[in-house]
């Protein structure tokens, strides 16, 4: 199965892996970069995704194992990706480069899975990855 992530070039402190799109746009909010209207739209979008996309339970504990999530190349996973328009638009507007990394093997030890995504810890060092820039 194909798995993929949308992320920035910078690594997150906790995971030491590229920061995912949800966290990257949250940082724009947290740093006060988005306008008031954009921030309101952010919260609207965040509520929507928290309702339709299961939040892996390890996040409630602060992600102690440093897991990262990958979309599954399934109808459900791809539908979520297509709905990330607000996040991609904010990244583009504020010059946040986004990348898509994909692989055809399990990227690490799976600690969570649902119809849309997997979460892994201990990402494999020998994992054949294809990464391409999808946005400037």
């Amino acid at each position: 199965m194909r798995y993929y992530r949308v992320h920035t070039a910078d690594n997150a402190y906790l995971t030491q892996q590229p920061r995912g799109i949800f966290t990257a746009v949250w940082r724009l909010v947290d740093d006060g970069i988005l306008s008031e209207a954009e921030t309101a739209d952010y919260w609207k979008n965040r509520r929507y995704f928290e309702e339709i996309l299961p939040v892996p339970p390890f996040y409630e504990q602060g992600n102690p194992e440093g897991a990262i999530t990958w979309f599954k190349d399934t109808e459900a996973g791809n539908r979520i990706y297509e709905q990330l328009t607000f996040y991609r638009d904010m990244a583009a507007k504020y010059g946040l480069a986004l990348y898509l990394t994909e692989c055809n093997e399990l990227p690490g030890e799976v600690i969570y899975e649902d119809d849309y995504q997997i979460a892994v810890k201990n990402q494999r060092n020998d994992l054949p990855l294809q990464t391409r820039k999808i946005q400037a």
Side-chain angles (χ1 to χ4, degrees):
M1 174 178 284
R2 178 177 161 262
Y3 303 95
Y4 60 98
R5 297 190 71 226
V6 180
H7 58 84
T8 61
D10 64 313
N11 285 346
Y13 174 77
L14 178 65
T15 65
Q16 294 303 300
Q17 294 294 324
R19 190 177 317 279
I21 188 170
F22 288 112
T23 304
V25 174
W26 161 245
R27 289 188 56 109
L28 294 175
V29 173
D30 195 45
D31 290 345
I33 294 171
L34 272 59
S35 72
E36 189 174 315
E38 291 165 341
T39 298
D41 283 346
Y42 166 81
W43 286 107
K44 177 182 164 190
N45 277 275
R46 181 170 168 168
R47 281 189 299 277
Y48 171 77
F49 282 107
E50 287 177 349
E51 288 176 14
I52 66 161
L53 179 64
V55 177
F58 57 82
Y59 285 125
E60 292 176 12
Q61 292 86 41
N63 194 7
E65 297 182 272
I68 59 171
T69 54
W70 293 74
F71 286 112
K72 294 163 68 174
D73 186 10
T74 61
E75 184 179 334
N78 295 337
R79 186 173 59 247
I80 292 295
Y81 173 74
E82 291 302 320
Q83 293 178 16
L84 293 175
T85 306
F86 171 82
Y87 291 84
R88 290 192 303 266
D89 289 350
M90 290 301 99
K93 180 175 182 178
Y94 292 102
L96 187 60
L98 294 177
Y99 299 84
L100 183 103
T101 295
E102 53 193 332
C103 62
N104 293 314
E105 302 173 25
L106 284 174
E109 182 183 338
V110 177
I111 63 168
Y112 174 83
E113 182 171 5
D114 59 42
D115 290 342
Y116 309 92
Q117 62 192 333
I118 59 170
V120 301
K121 66 178 186 177
N122 303 324
Q123 182 167 304
R124 295 174 33 204
N125 293 327
D126 66 341
L127 186 63
L129 299 172
Q130 295 101 32
T131 300
R132 63 183 167 89
K133 192 173 188 177
I134 59 173
Q135 188 169 296

